[in-house]
Amino acid sequence: MEHPQTVKDCLGWAARDPSGLLSPYNFARRTLGSDDVSLTITHCGVCYADVIWSRNKHGDSRYPLVPGHEIVGIVKEVGSGVSRFKVGDHVGVGTYVNSCRDCEYCNDGLEIHCVKGSVYTFNAIDADGAISRDSWGGAVTALHRIDMYCFRIPNNYPLASAAPLLCAGITVYTPMMRHNMNQPGKSLGVIGLGGLGHMAVKFGKAFGLKVTVFSTSASKKEEALSLLGVDAFVISSDAEQMKAIGKSLDFIVDTASGDHPFDQYMSLLKATGVYVLVGFPSEVKFSPASLNIGAKTFSGSVTGGTKGTQEMLDFCAAHKIYPQIEIVPIQYANEALERLIKKDVKYRFVIDIENSVK
């Protein structure tokens, strides 16, 4: 179902079936509304969510599907009721593009937890019943977005670098701030050194924490120590290395989505330590003693609200925090998704939409 007032002027790359193969696609967007910001998209980050929904891993994909929810661009037009943005502003769009705007969470800038459900950036149906209203992803030339779900990117911050902040960055920043993981001198463990994990490392170092990275791959050690500046690197399958740092961490951020044991990581926390899970393994299982003895906290989290997202973008600009990215053209998108599955990227692909979607 399309919105009754649409303009068929969008060019993107879409998957047509569960093969997930992306190819050029022309589609319609709604006409500019009073609360809309029209963006010329310059870059879009590549997230594992793009793999999940383009390939129908959850069984709910709506085809044709244009993926991408780490979107940045430049304002080219604003609706009559928009005062927050003007033409030429640098703007980002993240994992959701609408919400009820009236529940306790929306009123508190935590729209991702909207009681009625936030409208995701792609593969979603908006309030007016139209998939064409807002829920096309970022692998397109231009789109209209509701202004309150857009974020100002400081002019001194590179647009390509800003893209991964809209999902990978905010996904780890949100729980770190919620659980006060910004206390200089304390110790942070980061499980997994991918798109999310390397951002947790960067935030941890910016907060003045002692950062230890846990990985199953020894090949990441040199880069973690030299490029990311971690304080320690531990091979999680090495029982001796793990035992040596027992009860030494104040915080753990777990970004791993593959199945892995939890008790061994819980044993690394100090008393009253906090463990945050942002990945999606198939199950979470640990002994009650791992939690109760030491009065530890185990918490989950997903992205973040509009208030926190803007705060994070400003923080990254102020502290010169930049994701490690590999910029690719849209024509490389299918290969990028395959490499992402193989964890063959350091540490986030960003598609150069401006120069390759034509």
Side-chain angles (χ1 to χ4, degrees):
M1 177 180 178
E2 290 194 347
H3 191 269
Q5 290 183 303
T6 57
V7 182
K8 193 161 186 176
D9 64 348
C10 258
L11 171 62
W13 277 52
R16 276 36 173 233
D17 57 53
S19 72
L21 186 70
L22 302 178
S23 60
Y25 173 61
N26 288 97
F27 65 98
R29 57 177 170 164
R30 69 183 189 282
T31 53
L32 188 75
S34 62
D35 59 353
D36 283 336
V37 173
S38 181
L39 303 179
T40 297
I41 296 173
T42 62
H43 298 86
C44 184
V46 180
C47 175
Y48 198 76
D50 302 327
V51 175
I52 291 172
W53 277 280
S54 65
R55 302 188 182 196
N56 200 27
K57 298 291 188 181
H58 290 337
D60 62 353
S61 296
R62 298 178 175 93
Y63 297 105
L65 186 149
V66 178
H69 62 195
E70 296 181 338
I71 304 164
V72 294
I74 300 171
V75 177
K76 66 175 182 179
E77 189 178 2
V78 297
S80 58
V82 175
S83 59
R84 293 176 58 228
F85 300 102
K86 65 181 187 304
V87 173
D89 283 349
H90 293 181
V91 167
V93 177
T95 59
Y96 55 92
V97 291
N98 209 349
S99 64
C100 80
R101 311 182 211 180
D102 194 40
C103 68
E104 61 180 303
Y105 302 109
C106 287
N107 288 333
D108 203 26
L110 295 169
E111 296 86 352
I112 188 63
H113 304 304
C114 176
V115 169
K116 294 184 179 179
S118 55
V119 178
Y120 295 126
T121 303
F122 64 85
N123 196 54
I125 300 294
D126 209 346
D128 63 358
I131 196 168
S132 65
R133 174 169 165 78
D134 256 314
S135 49
W136 297 108
V140 298
T141 49
L143 277 180
H144 298 152
R145 300 294 190 190
I146 299 172
D147 70 314
M148 69 173 293
Y149 305 94
C150 294
F151 307 101
R152 184 178 302 281
I153 297 171
N155 287 334
N156 64 339
Y157 198 89
L159 285 172
S161 297
L165 300 180
L166 279 308
C167 177
I170 191 60
T171 296
V172 293
Y173 182 88
T174 295
M176 291 178 79
M177 295 302 290
R178 182 189 306 130
H179 294 287
N180 301 311
M181 297 185 186
N182 58 348
Q183 302 171 58
K186 293 207 170 184
S187 53
L188 168 71
V190 178
I191 303 172
L193 194 58
L196 276 67
H198 96 288
M199 288 307 305
V201 169
K202 285 177 177 285
F203 288 133
K205 296 301 294 183
F207 294 146
L209 304 179
K210 179 182 178 182
V211 180
T212 298
V213 163
F214 297 90
S215 178
T216 57
S217 174
S219 64
K220 294 184 177 181
K221 180 176 181 178
E222 183 178 347
E223 189 158 343
L225 293 170
S226 60
L227 180 64
L228 299 179
V230 304
D231 299 283
F233 186 92
V234 173
I235 302 298
S236 55
S237 57
D238 188 320
E240 288 301 312
Q241 289 188 40
M242 294 289 282
K243 184 178 179 181
I245 60 169
K247 298 181 180 179
S248 68
L249 302 175
D250 296 290
F251 314 114
I252 291 176
V253 174
D254 184 350
T255 71
S257 284
D259 287 336
H260 56 286
F262 287 85
D263 286 294
Q264 66 175 21
Y265 290 114
M266 295 287 282
S267 71
L268 305 182
L269 286 173
K270 297 178 183 178
T272 71
V274 178
Y275 189 121
V276 170
L277 177 67
V278 294
F280 284 84
S282 65
E283 69 172 7
V284 175
K285 186 178 181 180
F286 53 81
S287 164
S290 292
L291 185 68
N292 297 344
I293 297 174
K296 297 164 187 172
T297 296
F298 191 96
S299 175
S301 192
V302 291
T303 61
T306 55
K307 182 179 178 182
T309 302
Q310 188 62 61
E311 176 187 291
M312 175 211 58
L313 288 165
D314 294 339
F315 182 84
C316 287
H319 292 83
K320 296 181 168 55
I321 298 171
Y322 307 109
Q324 303 297 128
I325 61 175
E326 181 177 336
I327 300 176
V328 298
I330 190 69
Q331 293 77 13
Y332 191 79
N334 290 304
E335 191 167 348
L337 291 174
E338 288 296 331
R339 283 180 55 192
L340 177 60
I341 293 169
K342 298 173 184 174
K343 301 180 181 178
D344 178 24
V345 55
K346 294 180 180 176
Y347 288 95
R348 202 67 156 184
F349 285 114
V350 174
I351 298 173
D352 182 354
I353 298 294
E354 184 178 30
N355 294 309
S356 64
V357 180
K358 297 182 184 297

